[in-house]
């Protein structure tokens, strides 16, 4: 386990900023809890990213300090796996990052009930399945997909801007899926393999 290099950090933050925008600061240094007393000595711990076997983990700083006591061959995992770096240096986010990016997402796409299952089986989102999304969404912008009750289902990248999508037929793809919660079942053998 080690800290990320400058280029790895830049690549990771660039990918996370696609979905979160300026809220990326809140992921690294969570804001203080307003309900806590100002005299309370307990503060929200700072979170860090650590690399272990080409996978990037998101964990609190005290946990990262404790993980240094474990030998690298004996350490399997710590914190939440955000994704992994490919051999070419590109970063691919895993579905396990959804719980971290969903509360900070910049653009949210809500899917109708008939669009949930095609997404969870690994399909892209078509126009007929979109319940609502912002009018100012640009092309190739990172989005988090929710069902109509507000539960996050996955994340992806818009295929068309909102203006272009309004002119499309109902079977046209509007969001390219990059990860969905159905991956927990479809890829259970390889998702957490080292």
């Amino acid at each position: 386990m080690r800290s990320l290099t400058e280029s790895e950090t830049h690549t990771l933050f660039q990918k996370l900023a696609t979905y979160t925008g300026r809220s990326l600061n809140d992921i690294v240094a969570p804001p203080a809890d307003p309900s806590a007393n100002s005299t309370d000595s307990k503060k929200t711990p700072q979170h860090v990213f650590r690399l272990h076997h080409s996978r990037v983990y998101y964990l609190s700083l005290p946990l990262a300090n404790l993980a240094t006591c474990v030998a690298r061959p004996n350490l399997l995992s710590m914190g939440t796996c955000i994704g992994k770096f490919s051999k070419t240096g590109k970063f691919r986010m895993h579905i396990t990052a959804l719980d971290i990016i969903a509360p900070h997402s910049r653009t949210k796409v809500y899917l109708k009930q008939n669009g949930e299952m095609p997404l969870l089986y690994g399909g892209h989102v078509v126009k007929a399945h979109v319940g609502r999304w912002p009018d100012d969404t640009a092309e190739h912008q990172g989005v988090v997909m929710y069902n109509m009750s507000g539960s996050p289902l996955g994340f992806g990248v818009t295929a068309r801007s909102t203006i272009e999508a309004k002119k499309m037929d109902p079977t046209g793809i509007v969001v390219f899926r990059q990860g969905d919660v159905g991956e927990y079942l479809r890829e259970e053998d390889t998702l957490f393999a080292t």
Side-chain angles (χ1 to χ4, degrees):
M1 177 187 74
R2 64 169 176 83
S3 299
L4 277 70
T5 63
E6 189 78 28
S7 63
E8 290 169 342
T9 304
H10 178 72
T11 304
L12 172 67
F13 284 177
Q14 198 172 24
K15 186 72 157 186
L16 288 174
T18 305
Y19 300 99
T20 62
R22 292 186 175 264
S23 298
L24 182 61
N25 296 336
D26 294 339
I27 292 176
V28 177
D33 186 16
S35 64
N37 272 339
S38 59
T39 59
D40 190 10
S41 62
K42 288 181 109 179
K43 293 183 179 179
T44 306
Q46 182 180 5
H47 285 73
V48 293
F49 295 96
R50 294 291 186 250
L51 186 73
H52 185 64
H53 296 298
S54 77
R55 294 180 189 267
V56 176
Y57 293 91
Y58 175 74
L59 62 158
S60 65
L61 188 56
L63 183 61
N65 292 337
L66 287 174
T68 58
C69 298
V70 179
R72 285 185 185 185
N74 298 337
L75 186 64
L76 294 177
S77 175
M78 70 271 170
T80 303
C81 182
I82 297 291
K84 65 184 277 185
F85 281 101
S86 65
K87 292 180 181 178
T88 60
K90 294 184 179 178
F91 185 73
R92 185 182 186 287
M93 286 180 53
H94 285 177
I95 188 58
T96 51
L98 183 63
D99 292 336
I100 295 165
I101 64 171
H104 306 286
S105 64
R106 180 172 43 180
T107 307
K108 300 175 181 180
V109 174
Y110 291 89
L111 302 179
K112 296 178 183 174
Q113 189 174 5
N114 63 347
E116 292 178 23
M117 289 311 288
L119 174 71
L120 298 181
Y121 279 111
H124 300 300
V125 178
V126 296
K127 180 184 173 188
H129 294 158
V130 175
R132 63 177 192 252
W133 63 338
D135 290 333
D136 59 347
T137 305
E139 188 174 6
H140 304 298
Q141 182 175 351
V143 296
V144 176
M145 296 167 280
Y146 292 84
N147 61 9
M148 292 304 275
S149 62
S151 299
L153 298 175
F155 54 88
V157 176
T158 56
R160 302 270 189 262
S161 67
T162 308
I163 297 168
E164 293 173 356
K166 287 181 180 178
K167 300 173 187 173
M168 292 175 57
D169 60 331
T171 59
I173 295 174
V174 292
V175 178
F176 295 123
R177 180 202 67 84
Q178 290 188 338
D180 64 84
V181 293
E183 286 182 24
Y184 284 116
L185 295 176
R186 289 194 317 267
E187 299 180 12
E188 66 181 330
D189 295 337
T190 61
L191 188 62
F192 300 107
T194 56

